[in-house]
Amino acid sequence: MLALGVAAQAAGTLVVTAPALLIPHLHAQGMPLAQAGLLAAAPTAGMVLTLIAWGAVTDRIGERIVIAGGLVLTTLAVAGAWLADDDTVLLGVAFLAAGMTSASTNAASGRVVVGWFPKERRGLAMGIRQMSQPLGVTLAAVTVPRLAEASGIRSALVLPVVLCAVLAVVCAVGIVDPPRPSRPASGGDAGAAVGTANPYRATGFLWRIHAVSILLVVPQFTLSTYGLVWLVTLGWSTATAGLLVGAAQFVGAIGRILVGFWSDRVGSRVGPLRVVAVSAAAVMAVLALVDVAHLPAAAVVLVVATSVTVADNGLAYTSVAEAAGPSWSGRALGAQNTGQFIAASAVGPGIGALVGLVGFAGSFLLVAALPVLALPLVPRADRSHD
């Protein structure tokens, strides 16, 4: 279940990432950067529109059908982009549809992992599941730009089509929905209804975790979006900076696993989450110092900062699923991802404008304030239906 969840999510990440990596090819063909950027943003916009809806469907009918069916729809959407080729409008519609359909793997694959792993091993399992994002990004990075440059857009989209189609079949055969409590009949006992009650009305726990995650995702996407640009301003070549940024993503993936294992050992998600928030503020402040003082440790600090700023994802994701319970975790995870994607989409233009006003050092320092603001929002204790 863990392997299939990781594979499905990685395929969805590949689909969502591919349009951004087509920008150099599209620009070389004469498309303005603004228009190419709009195409690249289409899948993310599609995901924001449907994440909560896919979560609700998962709560209703189960993970296997949503993952396998969503991958079938994603295959058709990417095939539509393949047919559109150079038609910008149709390409944009197809990319939007691909984002809307690939969102199915986000909440559903997380639910499979949460459902099949006991609480004492769930943090580690979810840390491994979170590796699907860097795996998908890496797969897209090593294939899409080269194929597009060599043979055009259609060649670059063959792998996403084939991978989603194959995984749709494999997931339909291999995934087994985890057990979940049956919905109580009308007039049933009150205890049985606890697991199906709306967790957003019971306490503010989920709202607080969502808010914390929105604040903590800004440092993460600041580094993934502008880390390479920052290194280049320090005198690095684009190729070398790209290799370092890629390496930092893999170190960050390993960090997610270690933090998840740590949360299992201490029996808490919110405790490590609080430590990660403090650490994120510290590393962003150190990055600002490196920029101002032109310290030679830029590479090491960037790798550490990248690892720290992605470490909260698995903790928050697991915490949301445990607090929501099996009857609500699909919708809650959809809401969790929606908030993060909305915040992440604002990082590109927002931090870009901020760098233009106050430079990288000032921008890093201002971003460091967001984890500090998140600290009082982290709940004092975990909440779980286990």
Side-chain angles (χ1 to χ4, degrees):
M1 298 307 109
L2 179 57
L4 290 175
V6 169
Q9 182 63 60
T13 301
L14 168 63
V15 168
V16 173
T17 306
L21 297 170
L22 290 172
I23 289 178
H25 170 76
L26 294 171
H27 188 53
Q29 298 299 311
M31 181 179 290
L33 275 177
Q35 190 174 349
L38 189 61
L39 280 178
T44 304
M47 293 185 74
V48 169
L49 292 174
T50 59
L51 275 166
I52 296 177
W54 276 117
V57 174
T58 306
D59 289 335
R60 178 68 61 177
I61 67 175
E63 294 81 357
R64 183 177 68 86
I65 295 176
V66 168
I67 293 175
L71 286 171
V72 169
L73 295 176
T74 304
T75 302
L76 296 175
V78 182
W82 187 89
L83 292 172
D85 196 16
D86 292 327
D87 189 313
T88 305
V89 175
L90 292 180
L91 200 59
V93 171
F95 285 157
L96 179 70
M100 295 174 70
T101 55
S102 66
S104 60
T105 62
N106 281 65
S109 65
R111 275 191 54 135
V112 165
V113 176
V114 170
W116 279 116
F117 281 82
K119 186 174 182 180
E120 63 272 13
R121 289 191 287 133
R122 195 175 291 152
L124 173 60
M126 286 298 290
I128 295 172
R129 184 262 181 191
Q130 292 297 104
M131 286 187 68
S132 57
Q133 182 181 10
L135 285 175
V137 171
T138 301
L139 186 58
V142 300
T143 60
V144 172
R146 294 184 181 183
L147 291 173
E149 184 179 3
S151 307
I153 292 176
R154 285 186 170 178
S155 177
L157 295 178
V158 169
L159 178 61
V161 171
V162 173
L163 187 60
C164 288
V166 170
L167 281 173
V169 176
V170 173
C171 290
V173 174
I175 287 181
V176 178
D177 289 346
R180 65 176 69 191
S182 58
R183 293 178 178 272
S186 178
D189 65 89
V194 172
T196 61
N198 187 338
Y200 286 96
R201 295 177 181 174
T203 70
F205 184 93
L206 287 173
W207 294 109
R208 294 175 70 171
I209 294 293
H210 292 334
V212 168
S213 296
I214 288 172
L215 291 170
L216 293 183
V217 84
V218 176
Q220 175 189 337
F221 275 84
T222 296
L223 297 183
S224 64
T225 304
Y226 289 102
L228 185 145
V229 180
W230 177 62
L231 290 173
V232 171
T233 64
L234 296 179
W236 289 56
S237 70
T238 302
T240 305
L243 287 174
L244 180 67
V245 170
Q249 289 293 321
F250 271 104
V251 174
I254 295 172
R256 295 182 189 195
I257 296 175
L258 295 177
V259 169
F261 178 70
W262 173 33
S263 73
D264 287 338
R265 292 297 298 270
V266 300
S268 173
R269 316 298 177 199
V270 297
L273 184 60
R274 192 173 293 108
V275 174
V276 169
V278 173
S279 302
V283 293
M284 294 305 298
V286 172
L287 277 174
L289 177 62
V290 169
D291 186 74
V292 169
H294 301 287
L295 298 177
V300 175
V301 175
L302 182 62
V303 170
V304 172
T306 299
S307 302
V308 169
T309 56
V310 302
D312 65 284
N313 288 348
L315 293 172
Y317 204 85
T318 308
S319 183
V320 166
E322 290 176 340
S327 297
W328 272 83
S329 59
R331 281 162 284 188
L333 292 173
Q336 169 77 2
N337 283 323
T338 298
Q340 287 187 304
F341 276 118
I342 291 174
S345 65
V347 166
I351 299 299
L354 195 60
V355 169
L357 290 173
V358 298
F360 276 107
S363 300
F364 290 155
L365 203 56
L366 289 172
V367 169
L370 298 182
V372 175
L373 294 176
L375 266 177
L377 297 176
V378 179
R380 292 180 177 272
D382 293 276
R383 186 175 177 83
S384 176
H385 280 274
D386 289 335

